[in-house]
Amino acid sequence: MARPNPHYGIGTFRRRLRVSAAAGEVAVELEDCNHGFRLRLWHDGERVTTVEVEPLRIPFNTCAEAVRPLQRAVGHRLDEDEATLRSRLVPGDNCTHMHDMAILAVAHAAAHRGEERTTRLYDMAVDDERDGITRARVACDGAPVHDWHIATPRSHAITAPAELAGKPVMRGFHAWASQAFDGMPREAAVALQRAYFVAQARRHSFEPVAAHPGISDGMPQGACYSYNTGAVERALRSEGTVRDFTHTPEHLLKFLP
């Protein structure tokens, strides 16, 4: 069983996500305390033709295998909607983060026009819970987009700003967020929700990693690729992969050893 993280309560979970689109290809990079990935997607203007992922820092030895189910994105038409792509990929069969990056890459492939490269950079920061409240915020290209106070861990519902009070940020999030936001603000909200979800890992320490194989977590089937039957029995935690970027956000996306 995981032990409480003795440093929880004084830190900040940080995640950085960069999307770069050019003619025929999109690159997505992601790094946070537990993960580091680079994804590249190629298309012919109509369909996805190739998806490649570099899993640079992963929680389990089995995570890299999730590149295989991600190949279901190949052949997806860029003019089809996101729901169609999600049904093709099946989120529970995939690494959550590779899946999210692929969804994002396809959206930018569909939206990109012309030959000029476009880049978008998201920075998410989720403070450790203090007095039952977590502050979560996201900026796009350095400009603030969302800043939420969330009741944690009681309801995982927003308490501020007032116009969003009561909205859930765990189960039920996508239903309201897809109606409340559009375009870049919606993309930023989805990125922030995922950061808030992953930030809960800061509560726990899994040291020594050899004593905490994936199967000991008791996660349900379909939580992600490494927690599925056939993988979870082989899932061993990676040694020395957890980082704390509380005071060093400038290190994100440098993928330092």
Side-chain angles (χ1 to χ4, degrees):
M1 186 174 180
R3 297 182 293 108
N5 175 7
H7 304 293
Y8 186 81
I10 58 173
T12 299
F13 169 89
R14 297 188 186 277
R15 170 179 271 206
R16 181 167 286 176
L17 177 66
R18 179 163 52 218
V19 190
S20 179
E25 66 175 287
V26 180
V28 184
E29 298 172 289
L30 178 149
E31 188 169 25
D32 61 32
C33 66
N34 293 81
H35 311 92
F37 297 101
R38 289 193 184 105
L39 177 146
R40 294 187 71 189
L41 177 146
W42 286 267
H43 60 90
D44 60 9
E46 294 185 359
R47 297 179 183 270
V48 176
T49 58
T50 309
V51 181
E52 294 181 357
V53 183
E54 292 180 80
L56 302 169
R57 188 160 50 83
I58 51 180
F60 294 107
N61 62 322
T62 48
C63 296
E65 300 170 11
V67 173
R68 294 198 297 267
L70 201 66
Q71 299 309 307
R72 299 172 190 163
V74 174
H76 176 77
R77 291 188 59 86
L78 299 183
D79 59 3
E80 292 180 300
D81 61 15
E82 183 178 309
T84 300
L85 179 56
R86 287 184 180 276
S87 65
R88 179 193 291 266
L89 289 177
V90 187
D93 290 354
N94 282 267
C95 161
T96 300
H97 313 290
M98 293 186 204
H99 173 273
D100 289 351
M101 294 168 76
I103 295 286
L104 190 61
V106 170
H108 280 254
H112 186 268
R113 298 290 184 270
E115 298 295 320
E116 186 176 349
R117 181 174 294 276
T118 60
T119 301
R120 184 173 288 176
L121 181 69
Y122 290 110
D123 279 296
M124 286 71 72
V126 181
D127 295 338
D128 292 347
E129 174 199 342
R130 295 174 178 84
D131 299 322
I133 296 294
T134 296
R135 184 185 176 198
R137 53 211 181 273
V138 57
C140 179
D141 297 329
V145 183
H146 302 296
D147 191 337
W148 301 337
H149 288 206
I150 303 164
T152 311
R154 298 190 307 276
S155 64
H156 299 294
I158 295 173
T159 61
E163 61 269 22
L164 298 179
K167 299 296 187 183
V169 292
M170 289 295 204
R171 186 178 299 275
F173 167 80
H174 290 280
W176 70 264
S178 62
Q179 299 296 317
F181 308 114
D182 195 16
M184 183 277 289
R186 178 181 180 275
E187 194 170 83
V190 170
L192 183 57
Q193 186 275 339
R194 187 64 77 190
Y196 174 79
F197 171 76
V198 180
Q200 306 312 307
R202 274 188 51 82
R203 296 175 178 273
H204 310 293
S205 171
F206 293 96
E207 296 291 340
V209 296
H212 299 283
I215 201 166
S216 70
D217 293 349
M219 296 294 285
Q221 171 82 8
C224 72
Y225 176 87
S226 287
Y227 284 128
N228 284 339
T229 301
V232 69
E233 299 87 351
R234 301 179 288 105
L236 303 177
R237 274 195 161 76
S238 305
E239 187 79 46
T241 59
V242 177
R243 305 282 189 273
D244 187 344
F245 295 104
T246 296
H247 304 296
T248 56
E250 69 277 8
H251 290 171
L252 287 162
L253 295 189
K254 293 184 178 179
F255 303 107
L256 300 174

